[in-house]
Amino acid sequence: MAGRPSVTARVLDVLAAFTTDRPRLTLTEISRRSELPLTTTHRLVGELAAWGALERDEDGRYGIGLRLWEVGALAPRSLGLRESAMPFLEDLYEVTRENVQLAVLDGTEVVYVERLSGRAAVNVITRVGMRLPLHATGVGLVLLAHADAELQERVLAAPLRRYTDKTICSADELRRVLADVRRTGVAISDGQIELVALSVAAPVRGASGDVVAALSVVVPATGTNPLAYVPVVRAAARGISRVLGHH
């Protein structure tokens, strides 16, 4: 039948049914969220579970399996980057005892590839593998500020989602912020995703000098001087850049 989705497309629809806010789903929920017939969903889920891409818990709900996580961990941009960055992330965490995050650009979103956090650190919603929009995060502002002009204009032309009263939702304001990030070499995002948290981020460069990732520390918004964190965040980002071949 013309226009019928391929088996690969249907498998991807099943996997895409799982999200940060819905990591465990019943077979019926997977069918509904993937917009596939229940019989098709049952067959695909069974095959995915047999391979290890999905796992079934005692309540009969399914979640992403360890086999899929193993494959995802082999992504080149994440694998070499994380290995190079980890010593510097650990050092930054030891100095600050706050949330330390590493993220990369993917389309018009930021994807978190590593995060270190302590019990006393301010609560944040981010986790490894999570996606957030570029305009509302410190790492996102760094990556967007150094992205190509076409991507910047695409983000500026689209609606900017509001998370809090402090979220940047104006294209003109976002342009000014991006110019400041390029000028100062750091991004400070105060209460844009959650009012309790403030992020200080810096770019990580590869051998060619292009920005390949962004590093941030997330601290309490109240009573914090973000400028006090700029030197250590910059130093960690420069250290990772040197390991990646940037001089």
Side-chain angles (χ1 to χ4, degrees):
M1 182 184 296
R4 183 178 181 181
S6 66
V7 174
T8 303
R10 282 177 281 177
V11 168
L12 293 175
D13 286 339
V14 168
L15 295 176
F18 297 89
T19 61
T20 303
D21 57 332
R22 297 299 301 276
R24 314 295 293 182
L25 298 170
T26 65
L27 198 62
T28 301
E29 290 170 334
I30 297 172
S31 174
R32 185 175 66 251
R33 291 168 70 91
S34 63
E35 299 182 350
L36 293 173
L38 188 58
T39 53
T40 301
T41 303
H42 183 272
R43 176 174 57 82
L44 294 176
V45 166
E47 293 176 358
L48 288 167
W51 185 75
L54 295 179
E55 294 178 351
R56 188 170 185 263
D57 62 21
E58 296 178 353
D59 297 328
R61 294 179 179 271
Y62 290 88
I64 298 298
L66 282 176
R67 186 76 180 274
L68 196 60
W69 178 83
E70 289 176 35
V71 173
L74 298 175
R77 277 207 295 163
S78 170
L79 183 62
L81 176 64
R82 288 176 64 249
E83 289 178 348
S84 300
M86 188 56 71
F88 300 94
L89 299 181
E90 292 172 343
D91 286 348
L92 184 57
Y93 170 73
E94 289 298 327
V95 170
T96 64
R97 291 290 172 173
E98 298 288 355
N99 301 286
V100 175
Q101 304 179 140
L102 184 70
V104 296
L105 177 68
D106 189 34
T108 57
E109 296 175 308
V110 58
V111 178
Y112 292 86
V113 297
E114 189 55 81
R115 177 187 157 208
L116 301 178
S117 182
R119 293 180 181 177
V122 63
N123 183 54
V124 294
I125 65 170
T126 54
R127 61 170 180 79
V128 174
M130 187 175 186
R131 293 172 175 266
L132 283 174
L134 295 168
H135 71 282
T137 62
V139 287
L141 290 173
V142 166
L143 293 168
L144 183 58
H146 296 282
D148 61 68
E150 187 276 332
L151 176 60
Q152 291 184 18
E153 292 304 319
R154 185 148 42 108
V155 172
L156 288 162
L160 301 175
R161 178 180 173 183
R162 181 180 296 279
Y163 289 85
T164 72
D165 292 340
K166 291 187 174 183
T167 306
I168 300 172
C169 294
S170 161
D172 289 340
E173 183 184 359
L174 182 55
R175 284 186 192 276
R176 290 193 295 270
V177 170
L178 295 179
D180 284 341
V181 172
R182 288 188 291 270
R183 178 177 56 83
T184 63
V186 294
I188 296 174
S189 178
D190 184 1
Q192 286 211 83
I193 294 290
E194 295 179 288
L195 290 173
V196 296
L198 180 151
S199 172
V200 180
V204 174
R205 298 181 183 274
S208 66
D210 293 337
V211 173
V212 297
L215 166 73
S216 72
V217 59
V218 183
V219 299
T222 303
T224 297
N225 176 12
L227 298 180
Y229 290 91
V230 168
V232 290
V233 172
R234 273 180 171 165
R238 283 198 299 266
I240 300 171
S241 299
R242 283 195 299 272
V243 173
L244 294 177
H246 177 64
H247 300 287

